[in-house]
Amino acid sequence: MTELKIDSLSEFRARFRSVALTLQADFGLPYDYKTGDADDRRAMAMAIAVLDELDIHIKSDDEEVNKYINKLRK
């Protein structure tokens, strides 16, 4: 198992924003300015699912990060 260390929610969003943009632009994941936040969360959830499948787990000492990631996994 490989771990990806994330120190804060802002770091998580910064790292995964580019992943969300790639999924939306290159793989056709929907994006609309009216539903942008929900679309970004969907893309981030998809990225986390891919990392889980590759046995790469996000680790954080920040409880806010852990709650956000668990919410995306649901």
Side-chain angles (χ1 to χ4, degrees):
M1 172 175 53
T2 303
E3 291 182 349
L4 175 62
K5 179 115 169 81
I6 302 288
D7 293 320
S8 68
L9 195 53
S10 61
E11 179 187 355
F12 174 81
R13 287 188 176 136
R15 287 183 182 230
F16 279 81
R17 179 70 181 131
S18 61
V19 173
L21 289 173
T22 298
L23 287 170
Q24 290 158 349
D26 296 344
F27 297 100
L29 197 67
Y31 185 83
D32 184 281
Y33 72 94
K34 293 178 185 175
T35 59
D37 289 339
D39 294 338
D40 284 347
R41 283 192 301 275
R42 193 175 305 114
M44 289 180 195
M46 189 179 278
I48 289 171
V50 169
L51 289 175
D52 285 344
E53 285 297 316
L54 296 172
D55 208 24
I56 300 170
H57 299 281
I58 299 171
K59 181 181 179 185
S60 182
D61 294 331
D62 186 333
E63 193 58 36
E64 189 176 353
V65 172
N66 294 325
K67 285 180 185 178
Y68 188 73
I69 292 169
N70 287 333
K71 189 175 177 181
L72 289 174
R73 282 188 172 125
K74 291 181 179 181

